Amino acid sequence: MVNAFVANFKKNFIEMKRYFFDTVSSFIILFIIFYLIFFGFKIASGPNFGDTIDGIIVSYFMWIMFLASFQGVSYWIIQEAERGTLEQLFMSPIKFEFQMIFHVISDFCINVLMIVPLMYLAAFTTGRTLNFDLFTLLYLIILGSISAVGVGLILGGMALIFKKISSFIQICTFAFLAILMFEVDALWFELLPMVKATGMMRRMAVTGTKFYQFPIQDHVILWITAALFLLVGIIIFRGFEKRAMVKGTLGQY
């Protein structure tokens, strides 16, 4: 088990190194999109723009974490199917679910190491100072990403059946960008994946609120959302997995 986890971690680092140009290009694109959003809001907000900068920075990079979490699962399955190795993963002595967990954890660690410094760099280049408590930051990112992984499992299950769902993933990507950029004071909205984590992180960035200073109901909603979407994601993924096995399409692309 430990060897499988270490192998996943090494594989991710090796691919980033081997495809160095693509890795650097992706970071550049992230910054270009951020500044397009930044200057777009600046033009639209006028003199009151200073009150919204922190929220834009936090919302955008939480969206990036969401993106990495839910796309990581679905694109990993699509990629393994394209390479013709997906069926081998299901036939491995280590259960496919465990291999997927290892991949998600290694992906998450790498994303945190890359995205958090980028968030501070974006704040620095826009003349802001983010008041982040490290423990609170990791707490919100982890729980927010768990709900995103649940969405990724649903999309990954769809990929087992439909094989190519890139266009649908892109629709989900920009739909959630719009959702995370705005705050709606309604319970149903807060129960959407990563919404509550993003709202709490905004407060942390603006007022320096720490983990223990948030109201208990915020923590309850955060945990319920994470558990609910992860559970639903696992159930739906297993349903798609069984259907793919019955149809015998795991090894097809």
Side-chain angles (χ1 to χ4, degrees):
M1 287 288 188
V2 175
N3 289 337
F5 174 71
V6 173
N8 263 286
F9 217 92
K10 285 183 176 178
K11 176 175 174 285
N12 284 342
F13 270 112
I14 289 170
E15 287 185 343
M16 288 179 67
K17 184 179 177 181
R18 292 279 173 87
Y19 303 109
F20 183 73
F21 178 78
D22 184 62
T23 303
V24 173
S25 298
S26 64
F27 289 134
I28 293 172
I29 290 170
L30 289 179
F31 262 100
I32 290 173
I33 294 174
F34 168 73
Y35 283 111
L36 287 174
I37 295 172
F38 176 80
F39 288 113
F41 268 92
K42 188 174 183 179
I43 293 169
S45 301
N48 296 322
F49 179 63
D51 299 331
T52 62
I53 297 177
D54 294 338
I56 292 170
I57 294 171
V58 171
S59 298
Y60 178 72
F61 283 96
M62 283 298 281
W63 172 69
I64 297 299
M65 281 302 302
F66 179 88
L67 194 69
S69 297
F70 90 82
Q71 284 192 354
V73 177
S74 50
Y75 277 131
W76 176 64
I77 292 173
I78 292 170
Q79 189 179 61
E80 295 297 338
E82 287 176 343
R83 292 173 176 174
T85 54
L86 183 62
E87 195 169 26
Q88 294 176 33
L89 291 175
F90 276 92
M91 295 169 65
S92 168
I94 300 174
K95 284 188 176 182
F96 180 78
E97 286 81 2
F98 285 113
Q99 296 185 60
M100 189 161 54
I101 290 169
F102 296 152
H103 176 78
V104 167
I105 294 173
S106 60
D107 248 11
F108 175 80
C109 293
I110 292 171
N111 290 333
V112 169
L113 290 174
M114 297 295 179
I115 290 172
V116 171
L118 285 177
M119 183 163 58
Y120 278 98
L121 181 60
F124 174 76
T125 55
T126 53
R128 307 297 291 182
T129 301
L130 298 177
N131 302 311
F132 281 172
D133 173 65
L134 182 60
F135 178 80
T136 307
L137 174 66
L138 292 176
Y139 169 74
L140 294 175
I141 288 178
I142 289 170
L143 284 176
S145 296
I146 288 173
S147 62
V149 169
V151 177
L153 287 171
I154 296 171
L155 295 174
M158 292 174 64
L160 291 177
I161 301 295
F162 303 111
K163 305 303 178 184
K164 199 169 181 64
I165 60 169
S166 300
S167 298
F168 182 70
I169 291 174
Q170 293 304 319
I171 292 171
C172 294
T173 297
F174 288 101
F176 278 104
L177 173 60
I179 289 171
L180 295 180
M181 280 292 172
F182 298 99
E183 287 189 83
V184 177
D185 189 17
L187 180 60
W188 67 267
F189 187 78
E190 292 182 338
L191 289 173
L192 294 175
M194 283 201 90
V195 168
K196 191 62 181 177
T198 304
M200 292 171 74
M201 192 171 283
R202 282 197 199 100
R203 272 182 278 166
M204 180 182 68
V206 176
T207 64
T209 307
K210 291 182 172 56
F211 161 80
Y212 54 85
Q213 294 174 322
F214 288 106
I216 188 65
Q217 60 264 30
D218 286 350
H219 292 286
V220 171
I221 293 173
L222 188 64
W223 279 89
I224 287 175
T225 304
L228 179 64
F229 276 93
L230 184 61
L231 180 62
V232 170
I234 291 171
I235 293 170
I236 293 177
F237 177 82
R238 286 186 173 174
F240 279 120
E241 179 187 354
K242 287 179 182 178
R243 182 167 177 78
M245 286 180 172
V246 170
K247 293 176 67 177
T249 58
L250 283 177
Q252 300 175 8
Y253 181 73

